[in-house]
Amino acid sequence: MWTTLEPEIVARLPRPAMNGTATASPSSETVEIAEGWEACIDKLLEYRRYEPDWDGLKTPPPDPETVDSAIILAVLLRQSRFNPPSWTVPGFDGSVGFEWQWPDKTILEVDVVEPFVADLFLHTPDRETEHWRLKGSRSGFESAAPAGADQ
């Protein structure tokens, strides 16, 4: 299972949404962020109810365990004070994806490809795309390694 997001991975991602300080009353930005995460998780719950051929193209539904893993990852990202994703989408291969887009054209894609396994792709202007694979286990993270590295 996902138990935490490793600091070395978080440090390489675009900046979190908030600084983590509590406020007496929520700002409109805080409410917007909370509503965004709620919408994301609602979509994930909807994907759990998809049946075969959900899109009319004979695509299989996402595996419920993969969706549950994506929900847990979304909760961890929310707790780490990241903005909600710009998009939450089911993949045609049974995966579940999140995508963030920033004004500077930075894009972060997180694809939960099977239970507690996710591929992260960070596309930044004028830099080569970075890719990591996160693997969870029943006791926490097994690895968070760049793609192609022995895991």
Side-chain angles (χ1 to χ4, degrees):
M1 101 174 16
W2 317 113
T3 57
T4 185
L5 295 175
E6 294 191 8
E8 69 182 48
I9 298 294
V10 172
R12 297 175 78 180
L13 300 179
R15 296 182 61 87
M18 303 181 311
N19 65 10
T21 59
T23 57
S25 62
S27 68
S28 62
E29 180 181 3
T30 303
V31 170
E32 186 176 314
I33 290 168
E35 289 173 350
W37 278 115
E38 184 177 327
C40 170
I41 292 170
D42 285 348
K43 282 185 179 185
L44 292 169
L45 291 169
E46 179 183 325
Y47 302 157
R48 271 188 118 263
R49 295 188 301 269
Y50 278 12
E51 296 190 16
D53 195 30
W54 59 269
D55 62 353
L57 300 172
K58 301 189 187 321
T59 303
D63 175 63
E65 289 183 53
T66 300
V67 176
D68 291 347
S69 296
I71 291 169
I72 293 167
L73 185 56
V75 169
L76 280 171
L77 290 167
R78 181 181 184 173
Q79 289 173 345
S80 296
R81 307 288 191 228
F82 281 90
N83 278 325
S86 306
W87 307 98
T88 304
V89 296
F92 293 106
D93 58 358
S95 64
V96 178
F98 305 110
E99 183 175 303
W100 289 260
Q101 297 178 356
W102 284 266
D104 71 352
K105 301 195 188 316
T106 295
I107 297 172
L108 172 65
E109 297 175 48
V110 176
D111 296 319
V112 181
V113 295
E114 60 187 72
F116 301 105
V117 177
D119 287 320
L120 283 75
F121 300 91
L122 181 61
H123 311 279
T124 53
D126 304 323
R127 292 184 62 191
E128 193 170 315
T129 296
E130 295 181 65
H131 173 220
W132 304 274
R133 174 160 273 196
L134 299 179
K135 286 186 174 183
S137 69
R138 293 191 189 280
S139 62
F141 276 107
E142 290 175 352
S143 67
D150 291 334
Q151 299 185 46

